[in-house]
Amino acid sequence: MKLRKAGIATVSVLALALTATACGDDKKEGGSGSEGGGKSIKIGIKFDQPGIGQKTPDGFAGFDVDVATFVAKELGYSEDQIEFVQTPSADRENALKNGDVEFIAASYSINDEREKLVDFAGPYLLAHQDLLVKADSDIAEGTDLNGKKLCSVAGSTSAQNVKKEIAPKAQLQERGTYSECLEGLAGGSIDALTTDDSILAGYAAQDQYKGKFKLAGLKLSNENYGIGVKEGNKDLKDKINKALEKMVADGAWEEAVKKNLGPAGYKNEPAPKIGVIVK
């Protein structure tokens, strides 16, 4: 009887050990996480920015999409393990804070206020704020916007920059998406749309709008695009930075820029150095 009890105890200990090991493996391999190799990963992008991040009938396309996909692969995820989540400008910080996404690549400019709320990998693109106007518009200088209707999206700093720096009397019109601003510009209810030149170039290059709009060519600010991660997640930030460095080194970065923004005649700045913010 004593031997039988000992045998049962041994089997029980072994079973517990195997269960603990299995649980440990599930924790490591399952779910969305920054370690890679998980079942899926949720990444925040824009759904309505041609050339940057856009949801199409064939899937997702744009420079940010290509960057996010490259980074995810370096973290250990295949394309079919990526779940893209729409993250409007006003929702980006909350999406990271609440854990709705693992990281965000959504024309996310690094600035002091945002760095108080989230951490940034990168930058991975240097863009400049500009204006998009109708092809026959006489708006050439920022001061011409005084009294004009200026559109941007809620949560963006672009329109506030214009009002503060060059056109304090511009009439700010906020919309939920850039597409809504563009519709207003095409219809005449908006005089100018302002955001980064990379985004504006993508809109101007769309087939239905070719020849109808023009970029004013003003470098109103420097916009350092970064990949947002939850505050304090240094491990994920470091891994993303390594992935971005690899993307530049092997030519994939330049290829992505030309494929997504080149058709609009966009002249990009050289790939920025990781951690170097151009003011």
Side-chain angles (χ1 to χ4, degrees), residues 83-104:
E83 180 182 346
F84 287 118
V85 179
Q86 185 175 20
T87 51
S89 296
D91 298 339
R92 289 178 297 204
E93 286 78 25
N94 284 333
L96 289 170
K97 181 180 179 181
N98 297 333
D100 298 330
V101 295
E102 197 72 21
F103 65 83
I104 294 177

Side-chain angles (χ1 to χ4, degrees), residues 124-141:
Y124 64 92
L125 182 71
L126 176 60
H128 304 285
Q129 185 184 342
D130 203 349
L131 303 174
L132 188 69
V133 298
K134 282 190 172 182
D136 59 355
S137 174
D138 59 358
I139 296 176
E141 301 294 337

Side-chain angles (χ1 to χ4, degrees), residues 171-217:
Q171 298 177 29
L172 177 59
Q173 307 286 313
E174 289 191 328
R175 298 289 188 270
T177 66
Y178 290 111
S179 295
E180 293 177 53
C181 284
L182 194 66
E183 291 171 4
L185 184 61
S189 61
I190 299 296
D191 297 305
L193 163 59
T194 184
T195 187
D196 305 343
D197 53 8
S198 56
I199 298 171
L200 296 175
Y203 280 118
Q206 294 179 98
D207 290 338
Q208 68 269 37
Y209 292 127
K210 283 183 179 178
K212 295 184 178 181
F213 304 113
K214 65 181 180 181
L215 287 166

Side-chain angles (χ1 to χ4, degrees), residues 145-163:
L145 283 171
N146 282 310
K148 302 289 187 179
K149 293 180 180 179
L150 175 67
C151 192
S152 192
V153 298
S156 172
T157 58
S158 299
Q160 288 85 350
N161 288 343
V162 173
K163 284 180 64 68

Side-chain angles (χ1 to χ4, degrees), residues 258-275:
K258 290 181 178 179
K259 180 184 75 173
N260 294 292
L261 303 175
Y266 177 72
K267 297 180 180 179
N268 63 283
E269 300 277 5
K273 293 183 179 180
I274 299 299

